[in-house]
Amino acid sequence: MKLAISRPILVFSFALILVFFGINALKNLSVSLYPNVDVPIITITTIYKGANAEIVESKVTEKIEEAISGIDELKKITSTSSDNVSIVVAEFELTKEIEIAANDVRDKISRLSLDNDIDSPIIEKYNVGGAPVVSLFISPKHKITNTKELLALNTYADLNIKPLLQRIKGVGSVNMVGFLEREIKIKPNNNALSKYNLTYTDIAQAINAQNIQLDGGKIISKDKEWKILSKSDKDKVEELANIVVANGIKLGDIAVILDSTKERRSFSSLADGEIQSEGILLELQKISGANEIEIKEGLLENLPFLRSISSDYDLTIVRDTTNYIQDTINSVSFDLFLGAFLAVFIVFVFLRNLSVTLIAALSLPISIMGAFACLYFFGMTLNLATMIAITLAIGIIIDDAIVVIENIYKKIEQGMERREAAYEGVKQISFALIAISCMLLSVFIPIANMSGVTGRFFVSFGLSLSASIIISYFVVISLIPMLSARIITTQKSRFYANTEKYFTNIEEFYSRILQVVLRNNWRVILLVFLAFVSSLLLISRLGVEFLPSEDKAEFDIRLVSKPGISMEKMQEESLEIQAYLDRLPEVEYSILNIGFTQERKVYEGKIYVKLTPYNKRDRGLQEIMESLREVYKPYSSKLDMDITLIEIPQISLGEDDSPFQMALYSFSDEKLQESLNRLESLMQSSGKYSDIHTDIKPKTPQIRLDIKQSVANEYGFSAKEIALAVSNAFSGEYAISYFKENGKEYDIVLLSTQKSNINDIRRLILRNKRGDIVFLEGLVDIQEIDSITSIKHYDRQKSIMVYSNLGNGISLGEATSYVENNTDSWLLDGVRYKIEGYAKYMQETNEAFIVAMSMAFILIYLILAALYESLLQPLIIITTLPLSFSGAFFALFISGESISLFSVMGLMLLMGLVGKNATLIIDVANEKIESGIEIAQAICEAGKERLRPILMTTIAMVFGMLPLALASGAGSGIKSPMGIAMIGGLVFSMILSLLIVPALFRVSYNLDRKLRNWYK
């Protein structure tokens, strides 16, 4: 402290260094909505063309599950087996690094032996909240009327637009919805086949044999070497017609050759007002840690060029999440500046001295810049959690500054010279400053070490606050005394003289109250205790949720039809549903996507609806969604389609973002289904849930060909030959050859021109080795059956996921508790369940909060016990901590807010803030007693002396947090509950602690003195 006062240039340089590094950090910090979180989840995707769900399950999924089940720290395995594809998801404990988890999975999969016709598994790291940052919709300016125009659109998007988007800094991948890959289709004429005695197998073999390019090795002479290339592949699609299929018969004579696209399994449509256009949606996904704002800016920089080379197409930016991110960050930045101004204003009102207020105000930008520098140093991002943390830190910073400068000011008023007052003022309060800072760190360090996914999200929250506390401490013990020793003045203004009597009256009033309190110690303690208990009773009436909902002006409409529906029919019905949205004045645009998942399920679609901003419409998001639910009920019945409206959450968790999610799993299909039926009945009868649905899909219509083995043997056919002939004619999944153009390779497939009914299968021609022509219907029995659409596993058992929205006024915590408390009525023996989605994270948050709170209590007690060299006095301070919860619960209840992740963070923050009031009173009371003043009088003088700084710091913090509590717009759903909880807790705990701390100190002092004498 003497060093700081005597060497002003050193202190000034220290402050400028913090500001310099802070400004540099702000320029370079990545901006995102939430902190980067590497959750160790690995996905394994395997393609098995031509296999149904049951075959995929047995030949792929179960083998992969068995292979990876022995990996260390594996938490759970889930999987989906569908036609042609297996998706296995391995989730590991958070203690396992994601890179190690991915390498362990790759190691196990590399040793796995799968059939030759199964593609190699693709292993990827899953990104929590990995929704597209921004999307670009490309559509033709004129309606597509033929295959050539459709192919041109898809080829252009794939070769011209996608590569440019992939080169934007921070873009990890570009997913295309509605994209149809180029494909060369060979469609033989059945009459020509009969005429020339040919089969589909003959054509496939001929094309494969003649459209070929092979490396032939090298010729090496003494001076030179040549590569040998055997080339017979075609350079133009038209040249394929010249391939000789049989003697004198060319491919062009018996088949139509189409330069076309693959069978449509994906579709995208943009409806903007009265215009509805089909096109391709390109979704830009970021790599982990990338700056989302930079990705958007990179797209905007490239957009003029993209439009200049795309004269035939319209390019439209849609589903831009960065607008919400930028608005949220800007909103929190405004809250930060407004909170700082209000806090400084309160300091001026209390101290009524411009020089003192200026000194206190200077500590804010310097400490905040230092905090930004720490964020950059620790590799964190500028996100909602870090910005809220720094906004909340304003109260802490101004609190530290007030405590120091107010004490220095009093010393000057007592007649000390400014330098001496600066030194003595800081010296006298230094013990309390250390105690307060250590107490705050005892809270925020456990926050930074909270377990679970939520703990990972708030590492940056705790570290940001911890950095702010440490930097603030060094600023107030160096910069403030240095400035106070030089520029502080004690000249009283007229405003000071006119208002001082009010502050004096408040102090006298509190002094009289203290005297009453000290005469009724136990009664006061009992009354405060009863107030605390009554607040706890409110918890059951407060809703509990993971993240509060917010009007983000967007929602999804999930469409699920019956498996087996054609793409054409699904488009027609989905477009009808989308078209209704154009009638709503609140809708800006909507995007319909069909077959948007990896499985490319034609019977599933999703409509993303973007509304006008909340302040430009009369109806709220929930009101609009509820009215649409009623509108779409007749559509659901008429179209035989499940239509579910889902609010898009703060963090997307996958395909289905319904708030309530539960997994049921068992080895017994019958018990699993019965438990599901009972659970759905319970949920429907309760009225607490809406839009109840599962991931079980109705069976898909299937034509099964049972080969007549004896007949097939008689005619000389093997089962494989028959299956291959059918696949060549009707599948289109297997390429018989390839066509190369501009360095890219496209599949050549063989398809029947007639594949619209069962009779087309019956008339398929086959030829045996003897040259006999046979129709397929004589070799097989044809049956129409229903086949399983997909098979779900949870920890290697058959599983069902149950989803639902919540009824009006029902919180996620209430919905979850209701189901768990009634397991006797729906859960059969042998069936297990797991809460998933937001509810799982909510439970993790509650558990982590209890652990962090317990750790904070223990750390605070041990640190204060060491500082005070007392076992009882720290208990007095700790007693005030839960009192802040009472105020928070009352405030949340009155405002109608729920307990959520961020309000829980507010409770943790309160624990550190409210203890300072008790610390200030106890610290001064001890000094008074040591100077020989009687206990009761010492408490009264300490309370009177510390009342003004306690009021000043608390009100300054309250005003600093008012912008959060009164927030509207982007991020308000998260900020507001936290601000309300903080303000309620601060005010309530200030009032109660001003009463209970003196009472507790009085009743415990003698015992504390005896204990000190004993262990000393």
Side-chain angles (χ1 to χ4, degrees):
M1 288 176 283
K2 280 187 176 179
L3 182 68
I5 296 170
S6 60
R7 300 193 60 180
I9 301 301
L10 174 66
V11 176
F12 185 66
S13 299
F14 165 69
L16 285 181
I17 287 171
L18 289 178
V19 172
F20 172 77
F21 281 110
I23 293 172
N24 182 65
L26 278 175
K27 291 180 179 178
N28 295 288
L29 278 168
S30 292
V31 179
S32 60
L33 188 58
Y34 295 107
N36 296 321
V37 180
D38 275 340
V39 181
I41 298 177
I42 308 298
T43 62
I44 307 151
T45 306
T46 311
I47 304 299
Y48 187 4
K49 292 180 180 178
N52 63 26
E54 292 171 305
I55 294 174
V56 169
E57 178 193 32
S58 61
K59 288 201 169 188
V60 182
T61 303
E62 288 186 346
K63 289 182 178 181
I64 290 175
E65 288 178 340
E66 184 177 358
I68 66 173
S69 60
I71 297 177
D72 188 38
E73 295 184 279
L74 181 64
K75 189 175 182 180
K76 72 174 183 183
I77 304 174
T78 58
S79 66
T80 302
S81 302
S82 307
D83 292 349
N84 304 314
V85 63
S86 162
I87 300 174
V88 179
V89 180
E91 181 178 344
F92 294 85
E93 299 291 345
L94 285 171
T95 51
K96 193 177 185 81
E97 292 184 17
I98 193 167
E99 289 295 340
I100 295 175
N103 290 334
D104 286 349
V105 170
R106 290 190 188 101
D107 182 53
K108 292 291 185 181
I109 297 299
S110 66
R111 302 176 192 175
L112 188 62
S113 178
L114 298 174
D115 292 354
N116 293 332
D117 48 353
I118 300 174
D119 293 354
S120 297
I122 300 170
I123 299 168
E124 296 175 303
K125 291 176 286 186
Y126 177 75
N127 181 20
V128 172
V133 173
V134 63
S135 300
L136 185 69
F137 191 84
I138 175 171
S139 58
K141 291 186 176 179
H142 305 287
K143 188 175 181 180
I144 293 175
T145 57
N146 54 56
T147 304
K148 184 178 180 181
E149 293 176 355
L150 179 64
L151 176 61
L153 166 65
N154 286 273
T155 304
Y156 186 81
D158 186 36
L159 300 182
N160 297 79
I161 304 298
K162 183 179 178 181
L164 290 173
L165 298 181
Q166 288 173 321
R167 290 202 291 268
I168 294 174
K169 182 182 177 183
V171 173
S173 64
V174 178
N175 179 44
M176 295 199 290
V177 182
F179 169 69
L180 303 175
E181 192 173 342
R182 185 182 180 188
E183 185 178 76
I184 314 302
K185 289 185 172 71
I186 310 296
K187 293 192 170 185
N189 183 299
N190 288 338
N191 293 330
L193 292 182
S194 299
K195 177 181 177 181
Y196 294 112
N197 199 23
L198 294 171
T199 66
Y200 281 86
T201 303
D202 295 332
I203 297 173
Q205 290 174 348
I207 295 173
N208 190 39
Q210 297 179 50
N211 185 59
I212 192 170
Q213 179 177 294
L214 286 175
D215 178 25
K218 296 177 182 177
I219 292 178
I220 304 174
S221 69
K222 183 178 180 181
D223 303 319
K224 195 174 181 181
E225 72 174 31
W226 297 263
K227 289 183 179 180
I228 302 172
L229 180 67
S230 301
K231 188 178 186 308
S232 181
D233 60 329
K234 311 307 175 187
D235 296 323
K236 296 181 179 179
V237 174
E238 295 80 11
E239 293 177 3
L240 292 171
N242 297 323
I243 291 176
V244 178
V245 179
N247 292 332
I249 303 170
K250 295 181 179 180
L251 182 62
D253 299 331
I254 61 170
V256 176
I257 302 169
L258 298 176
D259 189 357
S260 181
T261 63
K262 288 191 174 183
E263 181 182 345
R264 183 179 283 282
R265 305 293 298 176
S266 179
F267 175 80
S268 188
S269 169
L270 172 66
D272 184 1
E274 297 180 356
I275 302 172
Q276 190 173 57
S277 53
E278 175 187 338
I280 300 170
L281 183 68
L282 296 100
E283 299 175 328
L284 278 66
Q285 293 181 306
K286 70 170 188 173
I287 56 176
S288 181
N291 190 328
E292 297 174 23
I293 304 298
E294 281 187 0
I295 293 175
K296 164 70 178 299
E297 291 173 349
L299 176 59
L300 291 176
E301 287 176 8
N302 283 276
L303 196 58
F305 173 72
L306 290 172
R307 283 176 171 157
S308 68
I309 63 173
S310 310
S311 57
D312 295 330
Y313 303 104
D314 289 321
L315 303 180
T316 309
I317 293 178
V318 293
R319 199 162 189 178
D320 183 2
T321 62
T322 62
N323 287 337
Y324 178 76
I325 296 170
Q326 192 67 65
D327 289 346
T328 301
I329 298 300
N330 290 343
S331 175
V332 179
S333 301
F334 174 77
D335 295 340
L336 192 154
F337 285 110
L338 180 58
F341 170 78
L342 292 174
V344 171
F345 174 73
I346 293 300
V347 172
F348 174 74
V349 169
F350 271 83
L351 296 179
R352 291 149 294 158
N353 185 303
L354 282 175
S355 62
V356 173
T357 305
L358 176 63
I359 294 170
L362 283 174
S363 66
L364 281 173
I366 294 169
S367 299
I368 289 172
M369 285 298 126
F372 282 130
C374 288
L375 292 184
Y376 184 69
F377 177 78
F378 287 114
M380 293 185 284
T381 63
L382 203 62
N383 55 68
L384 190 58
T386 52
M387 286 298 290
I388 287 179
I390 291 175
T391 303
L392 295 174
I394 289 174
I396 298 170
I397 296 166
I398 203 72
D399 181 23
D400 290 344
I402 289 170
V403 169
V404 172
I405 203 166
E406 194 267 346
N407 212 46
I408 293 173
Y409 189 75
K410 278 194 173 183
K411 298 295 180 185
I412 295 175
E413 283 187 323
Q414 292 169 4
M416 285 189 183
E417 188 267 332
R418 284 191 300 194
R419 284 180 177 251
E420 183 185 1
Y423 174 72
E424 291 297 332
V426 177
K427 181 182 176 183
Q428 184 183 30
I429 208 74
S430 60
F431 183 83
L433 276 177
I434 293 172
I436 291 170
S437 298
C438 289
M439 191 162 51
L440 289 167
L441 289 174
S442 299
V443 173
F444 301 133
I445 290 175
I447 287 179
N449 288 281
M450 286 176 71
S451 62
V453 172
T454 53
R456 292 293 181 92
F457 271 94
F458 285 94
V459 165
S460 54
F461 182 85
L463 289 178
S464 300
L465 283 167
S466 298
S468 300
I469 293 163
I470 294 170
I471 292 170
S472 173
Y473 173 77
F474 284 106
V475 168
V476 298
I477 66 169
S478 59
L479 182 70
I480 287 182
M482 184 273 285
L483 292 174
S484 299
R486 286 163 177 81
I487 65 173
I488 198 170
T489 62
T490 57
Q491 184 177 355
K492 304 290 191 301
S493 64
R494 181 180 299 176
F495 174 65
Y496 183 96
N498 292 335
T499 55
E500 178 62 18
K501 59 183 177 181
Y502 299 111
F503 290 97
T504 304
N505 290 339
I506 292 172
E507 289 174 346
E508 293 298 329
F509 176 70
Y510 176 58
S511 181
R512 290 195 297 272
I513 290 176
L514 267 185
Q515 292 172 12
V516 175
V517 168
L518 294 176
R519 288 196 299 269
N520 300 274
N521 293 318
W522 290 108
R523 291 179 182 176
V524 171
I525 293 171
L526 180 61
L527 286 173
V528 172
F529 176 75
L530 290 175
F532 173 68
V533 172
S534 65
S535 70
L536 296 181
L537 299 176
L538 291 176
I539 296 178
S540 61
R541 302 184 65 180
L542 290 173
V544 181
E545 53 192 356
F546 179 61
L547 286 176
S549 61
E550 179 183 332
D551 190 338
K552 293 171 63 180
E554 59 181 3
F555 62 92
D556 283 331
I557 303 175
R558 186 172 174 271
L559 312 174
V560 182
S561 190
K562 302 299 181 188
I565 189 173
S566 68
M567 171 59 86
E568 185 179 354
K569 187 64 175 176
M570 186 67 181
Q571 282 180 226
E572 178 188 330
E573 294 180 352
S574 301
L575 287 170
E576 183 181 349
I577 294 170
Q578 185 186 25
Y580 180 83
L581 297 169
D582 293 335
R583 305 180 193 177
L584 303 182
E586 298 96 341
V587 174
E588 278 192 3
Y589 64 85
S590 63
I591 305 169
L592 166 64
N593 292 326
I594 301 173
F596 54 92
T597 62
Q598 285 179 306
E599 299 100 311
R600 295 292 191 234
K601 293 176 282 192
V602 169
Y603 58 87
E604 284 193 9
K606 184 182 285 187
I607 302 175
Y608 168 78
V609 184
K610 180 64 177 177
L611 303 177
T612 54
Y614 76 98
N615 56 355
K616 293 183 180 179
R617 49 184 153 87
D618 297 328
R619 296 192 297 174
L621 176 65
Q622 292 299 332
E623 188 179 354
I624 294 171
M625 290 176 64
E626 199 58 43
S627 68
L628 281 174
R629 285 191 179 101
E630 294 301 318
V631 167
Y632 283 137
K633 281 181 180 178
Y635 283 77
S636 182
S637 302
K638 181 181 76 172
L639 303 176
D640 194 19
M641 178 186 290
D642 291 333
I643 303 175
T644 307
L645 278 74
I646 301 173
E647 182 181 349
I648 297 176
Q650 300 285 354
I651 304 170
S652 180
L653 300 176
E655 282 183 40
D656 198 315
D657 285 321
S658 298
F660 178 84
Q661 301 184 17
M662 174 182 281
L664 305 180
Y665 55 103
S666 174
F667 289 109
S668 170
D669 287 338
E670 292 77 16
K671 289 184 176 181
L672 186 63
Q673 188 62 49
E674 178 61 24
S675 291
L676 172 64
N677 294 339
R678 293 185 181 187
L679 175 61
E680 288 183 321
S681 177
L682 174 74
M683 294 171 67
Q684 287 168 353
S685 62
S686 70
K688 298 178 184 293
Y689 311 86
S690 64
D691 301 322
I692 301 169
H693 56 284
T694 71
D695 62 352
I696 295 179
K697 303 299 182 293
K699 292 185 176 181
T700 305
Q702 184 181 70
I703 297 172
R704 191 172 75 189
L705 307 180
D706 293 324
I707 297 173
K708 302 174 183 177
Q709 197 62 55
S710 59
V711 178
N713 291 338
E714 180 182 345
Y715 283 94
F717 291 103
S718 69
K720 185 174 183 180
E721 286 175 325
I722 295 172
L724 192 59
V726 174
S727 177
N728 282 337
F730 296 101
S731 171
E733 291 286 344
Y734 297 97
I736 59 173
S737 188
Y738 300 94
F739 173 73
K740 292 182 180 178
E741 186 176 83
N742 298 326
K744 293 205 73 175
E745 204 171 68
Y746 304 100
D747 291 349
I748 299 176
V749 300
L750 197 59
L751 281 174
S752 173
T753 53
Q754 297 174 324
K755 46 177 295 185
S756 59
N757 58 61
I758 293 179
N759 289 329
D760 295 330
I761 299 176
R762 292 192 175 101
R763 291 193 292 265
L764 181 66
I765 298 173
L766 291 85
R767 188 182 64 230
N768 61 17
K769 294 177 182 177
R770 299 191 296 268
D772 300 328
I773 295 295
V774 180
F775 286 104
L776 179 65
E777 66 177 336
L779 301 174
V780 299
D781 287 326
I782 302 175
Q783 297 183 59
E784 286 189 65
I785 63 170
D786 292 328
S787 69
I788 296 174
T789 305
S790 62
I791 302 170
K792 307 283 185 177
H793 286 183
Y794 190 105
D795 281 343
R796 307 190 66 186
Q797 301 176 47
K798 296 290 177 63
S799 70
I800 300 170
M801 282 294 298
V802 182
Y803 304 95
S804 85
N805 287 319
L806 306 178
N808 290 331
I810 304 298
S811 69
L812 181 57
E814 183 181 350
T816 305
S817 299
Y818 180 77
V819 169
E820 292 195 288
N821 293 336
N822 289 279
T823 52
D824 292 343
S825 65
W826 63 268
L827 190 66
L828 299 182
D829 292 338
V831 180
R832 302 172 67 188
Y833 76 91
K834 284 284 181 67
I835 299 297
E836 294 291 339
Y838 270 9
K840 178 182 73 172
Y841 294 135
M842 181 185 69
Q843 291 177 343
E844 286 183 1
T845 302
N846 295 339
E847 293 169 4
F849 169 65
I850 292 171
V851 172
M853 185 176 66
S854 302
M855 188 186 299
F857 269 109
I858 293 169
L859 285 174
I860 289 171
Y861 176 78
L862 293 176
I863 290 171
L864 292 178
L867 290 173
Y868 282 104
E869 197 62 34
S870 169
L871 296 175
L872 283 183
Q873 288 192 1
L875 289 176
I876 300 173
I877 297 172
I878 286 178
T879 302
T880 65
L881 304 187
L883 298 180
S884 62
F885 295 174
S886 299
F889 294 151
F890 281 126
L892 289 172
F893 179 75
I894 293 169
S895 62
E897 298 285 353
S898 300
I899 297 176
S900 61
L901 180 62
F902 280 87
S903 55
V904 166
M905 291 296 110
L907 295 180
M908 293 293 296
L909 183 58
L910 281 172
M911 287 178 60
L913 294 178
V914 301
K916 66 174 182 55
N917 295 338
T919 303
L920 292 173
I921 293 174
I922 290 174
D923 194 45
V924 175
N926 283 329
E927 286 184 13
K928 300 288 184 183
I929 293 170
E930 287 176 7
S931 66
I933 299 175
E934 189 267 332
I935 297 173
Q937 184 182 350
I939 295 172
C940 287
E941 291 184 10
K944 185 177 179 181
E945 187 175 319
R946 292 286 88 189
L947 175 65
R948 203 174 293 192
I950 287 173
L951 288 175
M952 183 165 38
T953 55
T954 302
I955 295 173
M957 282 191 283
V958 166
F959 271 72
M961 293 169 193
L962 267 180
L964 291 179
L966 302 177
S968 61
S972 60
I974 290 174
K975 296 183 297 180
S976 185
M978 175 179 272
I980 289 169
M982 294 285 295
I983 290 173
L986 283 170
V987 173
F988 195 78
S989 64
M990 177 194 73
I991 295 170
L992 293 188
S993 61
L994 285 173
L995 301 177
I996 197 170
V997 169
L1000 287 173
F1001 188 87
R1002 180 71 180 85
V1003 300
S1004 66
Y1005 182 79
N1006 291 331
L1007 179 59
D1008 179 58
R1009 185 59 58 189
K1010 289 178 182 178
L1011 283 174
R1012 290 192 190 207
N1013 293 334
W1014 175 73
Y1015 56 70
K1016 284 185 178 180

